[in-house]
Amino acid sequence: MSKPNIQLDSHGRLKHFLTIDGLKREMLTEILDTAESFTGVSERVVKKVPLLRGKTICNLFFENSTRTRTTFEVAAKRLSADVLNLNVGASSTTKGETLLDTLRNLEAMHVDMFVIRHSDSGAAHFFASYAAPHISVINAGDGQHAHPTQAMLDMFTIRRHKGEFTGLRVAIVGDILHSRVARSQILALNTLGTSEVRVIAPRTLLPADPRSLGVHVFHDLEEGIRDVDVVIMLRLQKERMTGALLPSEHEYFQLYGLTEKRLKAAKPDAIVMHPGPINRGVEMDSQVADGPRSVILQQVSFGIAVRMAVMSMTMGTQAQGAAAR
Amino acid sequence: MSGMKNSIQILGGRLIDPANGIDAIRDIYIQNGRVLAIGERPDDFTAQHTIDAAGLIVCPGLVDLSARMREPGQEHITTIASETAVAARSGITTLCCPPDTDPVIDSPAVVTLLLRRAKRAARARVLPIGAMTQQLAGEHLSEMVALKRAGCVAMSNAYAPLANTLVERRALEYAATFGITAILRPEDRHLRNNGYAHEGPVSARLGLPGIPEAAESVAVARDLALAEHTGCRIHFHLLSSGTAARMIEQAQQQRLQVSANVAAHQLHLTEMDIEEFNSNCHLNPPLRSLADRDALRLALAKGVIGAICSDHQPLKADAKEAPFPSTATGMAGLQTLLPLTLKLVDEGVLGLSEAIARITCGPADILDLPYGRLTPGSSADLCLFDPNRHWELKRDELPSAGRNTPFIGWEFQGQVTHTLFEGRIVYQSASSNQTASSL
């Protein structure tokens, strides 16, 4: 029983960007190539292209996030769209308005695209399935499910440094269980043909059947990062200690914290990534975070180009061809 | 009005009455609300109404061990009147109502209220299940004997499993003293944590916090130990895992008085059905793996699980219109209890007679109810269905609070044509009107 992919329109083009799941390699490559064409825009004197002029993009953030929201806003503005920032957590939902009512009200204001972040897994799917047909939805993080633009900017960063994905060995370290970023990264890496994707964590921070995600599982950091080309560190939330998942930050750093010494097990030219914000001294040493192998700040700046690419592709299904090429 | 006729004959149908081991063409004679005779027409019998049941299957009215009608407390969703009407259309004549109404069924007054409203609706029998602890809070025992005397057929703590094992021990001991059956929904709340779906590959991929199988099996192990210790007769409600079914099978082999039921949907759906965040499959207990579904089917075939229930939970129309974790759990199940059970016959899980047993005398025997059988003298509760009629469950034909079902668009074989409750025709399908004739 194959259902039509809700993310694609009837011509197989990207309509919503909700998850990497179900997207083909060519589609991901197109996103990366389009992003590549946008990287120049930020360096121009006039940092704008008129691709989405006259369109209204609504940033709908039910969870606080300064950085992700800002990069989406910058991306939208560089595409000449009008941006509406709504911090919904503080307004309507606390008054008892349902999510569906919020959607309907914003639709009535003629919004063309929603960028949504919500603490419920599946929130972006929900929006996409109930929104009017002309509206595009981009998932900026839903619960523990997906954060596909973050994953794509990570892929962009890897491709910039390593070229092809085939032949690469990538390790993701930390709280896989609760991480929407990790889920999307794993899907993207596998779709793009990465040779081996590894996850490294204690069992309390892994899902029940991690191999079903298409990864090799390691519990020992040094063993897990041996000969890898890319090390992706995940953020550790403080509440993991209270949920009896870990004894302490101290023991976590002892076992899974990335140090210069441990990084020696990886390939000599391995890069270190982190979706941010970093807990220095918990996930990694400052020496590593600020060191020559770290590409963490590049990730942030590539984030704008990748989000521009996804926005123009999902919305400008018609406009995109003319302007982006 | 045909519903008022007090003598009815049902002629030429294939009678399947598993409790009496009958599967044959038999005529049925009904008088004053009771089954008068099966087979031979009594000499002094005159029928005021005849149902031509040629080509139909005639079986006892269905007995459903768990149906929420939202009354008292949430009459804006559904009422006893509306849900007993749905039950009548579905061939169900006995509904057991869990105690988590508002107010909770923890006092005889609520029992009386429920029974009175059901009597007024007069479409099906409603049997309240009493709360095992006051307010279902798991602290103080409810007045179980008073509840039983008022009409409760068993005690349960609904979806609030007793967290304190000492309270559970006392509750079971007290219930055992007075021959009361305890209905337990086995779940360890800590292991359930804030889960929304079966902990497995699908929940891992969708990023939905998982509910491990152990949340059920740990509770079953604890409950079985206490059943053995207290000698209380316990009934496990809504099994979802193969492990739990196997543990219960072992306990039955050791002659513990332990029975179990399963919801009809649990025998057909799996974790795969929540793909794309289908909120109609947001259920409690969660849909589990294919292996669990098959183990439940096996346990059902072996008789370890003696009853299939609907676990009917009508919801407000917008209760499923939200992101998956924010939606209410539960599905409206009355209308699919019979069709999903018959589907098991199609799929070779059960014979037809066994399947009917699991929704008639099986559940009745678990609670020692005199229903679900057509012995002369018993209440004339019957379900007639056309086993060859194909139909589709259509959204528009469902009441607005009954559209929370994942089975919309499914095709079924076998459709109810008549339902009799206490000797009255409480439902007759439009297409069967011309076949019925008054004498």
Side-chain angles (χ1 to χ4, degrees):
Chain A
M1 202 166 70
S2 81
K3 283 183 203 159
N5 190 330
I6 184 179
Q7 302 192 87
L8 304 178
D9 68 12
S10 53
H11 305 291
R13 314 197 63 158
L14 203 60
K15 163 80 183 160
H16 306 291
F17 193 49
L18 311 174
T19 168
I20 305 292
D21 206 359
L23 296 183
K24 292 204 162 68
R25 185 175 185 167
E26 295 71 37
M27 180 66 78
L28 300 192
T29 305
E30 190 187 339
I31 293 171
L32 296 177
D33 292 345
T34 311
E36 199 68 61
S37 76
F38 282 127
T39 48
V41 174
S42 305
E43 282 136 37
R44 291 185 206 161
V45 182
V46 179
K47 299 187 180 62
K48 274 197 178 194
V49 286
L51 226 50
L52 299 183
R53 181 180 291 156
K55 301 283 186 187
T56 305
I57 295 178
C58 179
N59 275 331
L60 200 52
F61 277 59
F62 295 85
E63 272 184 349
N64 290 328
S65 152
T66 313
R67 219 170 28 163
T68 305
R69 206 202 61 213
T70 308
T71 55
F72 269 108
E73 185 174 349
V74 171
K77 285 183 170 160
R78 295 214 169 134
L79 292 166
S80 309
D82 297 318
V83 182
L84 207 62
N85 281 316
L86 283 180
N87 187 356
V88 199
S91 62
S92 46
T93 47
T94 46
K95 292 176 194 155
E97 187 179 70
T98 69
L99 200 52
L100 198 55
D101 286 335
T102 306
L103 168 67
R104 296 283 177 247
N105 276 290
L106 291 167
E107 269 179 356
M109 297 174 201
H110 304 286
V111 166
D112 300 288
M113 171 186 285
F114 287 108
V115 175
I116 175 173
R117 169 172 285 196
H118 195 283
S119 57
D120 276 349
S121 299
H125 273 80
F126 171 75
F127 252 62
S129 47
Y130 281 87
H134 70 278
I135 292 177
S136 288
V137 177
I138 292 181
N139 186 2
D142 63 328
Q144 299 169 11
H145 172 233
H147 194 350
T149 59
Q150 174 72 44
M152 288 315 291
L153 75 88
D154 295 334
M155 298 308 112
F156 189 88
T157 311
I158 293 173
R159 195 171 79 161
R160 271 285 178 102
H161 284 271
K162 299 289 168 194
E164 281 302 297
F165 287 85
T166 15
L168 289 188
R169 215 175 262 146
V170 180
I172 306 173
V173 186
D175 186 1
I176 312 291
L177 177 63
H178 300 92
S179 175
R180 55 195 175 204
V181 173
R183 278 184 181 75
S184 289
Q185 286 168 337
I186 292 167
L187 284 161
L189 287 166
N190 281 326
T191 307
L192 288 164
T194 310
S195 292
E196 188 187 353
V197 183
R198 299 174 175 178
V199 297
I200 307 168
R203 283 183 54 190
T204 50
L205 298 182
L206 289 170
D209 186 8
R211 279 168 203 82
S212 69
L213 298 173
V215 295
H216 289 112
V217 181
F218 291 81
H219 303 304
D220 182 89
L221 179 63
E222 274 166 73
E223 195 188 325
I225 62 172
R226 189 160 300 142
D227 296 328
V228 300
D229 301 277
V230 179
V231 185
I232 301 175
M233 305 302 293
L234 297 174
R235 182 177 162 77
L236 186 77
Q237 308 282 347
K238 302 262 184 213
E239 59 260 33
R240 303 304 167 227
M241 262 53 78
T242 51
L245 292 156
L246 289 175
S248 67
E249 287 183 358
H250 178 257
E251 180 152 313
Y252 182 77
F253 184 72
Q254 291 301 312
L255 294 171
Y256 298 100
L258 192 62
T259 58
E260 288 284 354
K261 184 168 167 277
R262 283 179 166 155
L263 191 53
K264 289 198 169 75
K267 281 194 184 159
D269 62 344
I271 54 169
V272 175
M273 300 168 67
H274 191 296
I278 309 170
N279 292 312
R280 290 167 186 265
V282 180
E283 296 114 41
M284 62 171 86
D285 239 10
S286 279
Q287 269 183 311
V288 177
D290 305 328
R293 321 277 279 278
S294 164
V295 297
I296 296 169
L297 288 177
Q298 289 177 34
Q299 288 175 267
V300 180
S301 54
F302 292 150
I304 295 168
V306 166
R307 283 166 181 137
M308 287 171 78
V310 171
M311 285 176 159
S312 64
M313 283 171 70
T314 50
M315 267 242 296
T317 20
Q318 310 87 5
Q320 166 206 354
R325 275 175 203 159
Chain B
M1 192 178 147
S2 62
M4 298 306 290
K5 301 285 193 300
N6 61 15
S7 61
I8 297 176
Q9 55 185 357
I10 300 171
L11 304 180
R14 175 179 167 193
L15 172 65
I16 300 184
D17 181 12
N20 290 305
I22 299 174
D23 179 357
I25 306 290
R26 289 272 195 285
D27 298 333
I28 298 157
Y29 304 94
I30 292 163
Q31 196 157 47
N32 296 328
R34 303 210 160 257
V35 176
L36 182 66
I38 304 282
E40 295 295 305
R41 175 206 289 253
D43 291 340
D44 53 351
F45 182 84
T46 328
Q48 288 167 311
H49 188 77
T50 299
I51 297 172
D52 175 6
L56 303 182
I57 288 176
V58 181
C59 69
L62 276 45
V63 178
D64 187 355
L65 289 178
S66 181
R68 285 177 172 79
M69 283 157 276
R70 307 301 186 197
E71 186 179 0
Q74 292 182 294
E75 291 87 345
H76 60 287
I77 301 177
T78 53
T79 60
I80 289 171
S82 71
E83 296 322 276
T84 49
V86 177
R89 290 183 56 146
S90 313
I92 302 166
T93 51
T94 299
L95 300 160
C96 297
C97 174
D100 51 358
T101 48
D102 181 17
V104 165
I105 308 179
D106 64 357
S107 75
V110 183
V111 179
T112 309
L113 173 96
L114 238 127
L115 292 175
R116 195 169 55 226
R117 299 222 173 134
K119 199 167 180 114
R120 196 188 304 153
R123 288 248 171 71
R125 181 179 298 106
V126 174
L127 302 175
I129 296 167
M132 202 176 269
T133 59
Q134 291 173 32
Q135 294 295 309
L136 297 171
E139 288 165 13
H140 304 285
L141 300 189
S142 65
E143 295 177 349
M144 295 189 208
V145 174
L147 289 169
K148 184 185 180 185
R149 285 183 181 149
C152 287
V153 290
M155 300 296 148
S156 110
N157 226 51
Y159 275 123
L162 298 172
N164 182 329
T165 40
L166 180 62
V167 174
E168 180 172 351
R169 176 195 169 174
R170 301 294 190 224
L172 296 181
E173 279 175 339
Y174 193 79
T177 311
F178 301 100
I180 292 167
T181 301
I183 299 179
L184 304 175
R185 162 66 214 133
E187 181 181 87
D188 184 293
R189 298 224 118 178
H190 299 295
L191 285 172
R192 179 193 174 87
N193 201 9
N194 60 345
Y196 299 101
H198 171 63
E199 185 177 291
V202 177
S203 67
R205 197 152 41 77
L206 295 180
L208 288 170
I211 304 169
E213 193 197 30
E216 182 165 284
S217 52
V218 163
V220 168
R222 181 187 84 168
D223 295 343
L224 285 173
L226 287 171
E228 188 169 10
H229 181 77
T230 61
C232 185
R233 194 167 139 179
I234 62 176
H235 177 62
F236 285 110
H237 185 41
L238 301 178
L239 289 196
S240 71
S241 70
T243 306
R246 287 185 286 272
M247 291 163 78
I248 291 165
E249 181 175 14
Q250 268 182 7
Q252 289 172 342
Q253 285 162 357
Q254 290 158 15
R255 311 229 169 275
L256 244 58
Q257 294 188 82
V258 176
S259 57
N261 75 52
V262 61
H265 55 257
Q266 206 87 35
L267 297 162
H268 293 278
L269 304 176
T270 68
E271 58 181 336
M272 307 284 276
D273 291 287
I274 65 170
E275 289 284 4
E276 302 276 319
F277 299 99
N278 180 355
S279 60
N280 277 324
C281 290
H282 186 199
L283 301 166
N284 181 17
L287 297 172
R288 295 201 182 272
S289 69
L290 193 62
D292 285 310
R293 191 205 68 174
D294 290 345
L296 292 171
R297 286 178 162 200
L298 182 66
L300 186 76
K302 285 181 178 171
V304 173
I305 296 175
I308 305 171
C309 73
S310 74
D311 193 29
H312 180 63
Q313 299 189 44
L315 293 172
K316 272 198 303 181
D318 62 359
K320 294 287 191 184
E321 290 177 346
F324 192 95
S326 291
T327 53
T329 57
M331 66 166 266
L334 293 177
Q335 58 272 52
T336 45
L337 178 60
L338 178 65
L340 289 176
T341 303
L342 294 176
K343 211 171 178 66
L344 296 171
V345 180
D346 276 354
E347 296 179 12
V349 178
L350 293 171
L352 181 57
S353 183
E354 289 171 300
I356 288 173
R358 299 290 184 274
I359 46 177
T360 57
C361 57
D365 291 347
I366 284 166
L367 296 182
D368 286 333
L369 304 173
Y371 313 116
R373 64 203 66 231
L374 295 172
T375 314
S378 60
S379 179
D381 305 342
L382 292 95
C383 165
L384 279 66
F385 63 93
D386 180 345
N388 298 316
R389 194 176 297 167
H390 291 265
W391 60 287
E392 184 189 323
L393 188 68
K394 294 197 175 106
R395 188 176 188 277
D396 295 345
E397 293 169 10
L398 295 169
S400 67
R403 289 176 181 168
N404 54 313
T405 162
F407 295 107
I408 287 169
W410 280 48
E411 296 207 352
F412 295 108
Q413 188 181 346
Q415 193 171 35
V416 175
T417 59
H418 304 75
T419 303
L420 280 75
F421 170 56
E422 295 181 339
R424 289 173 298 114
I425 298 171
V426 290
Y427 171 73
Q428 187 167 358
S429 68
S431 53
S432 68
N433 274 331
Q434 60 270 30
T435 61
S437 59
S438 287
L439 288 183

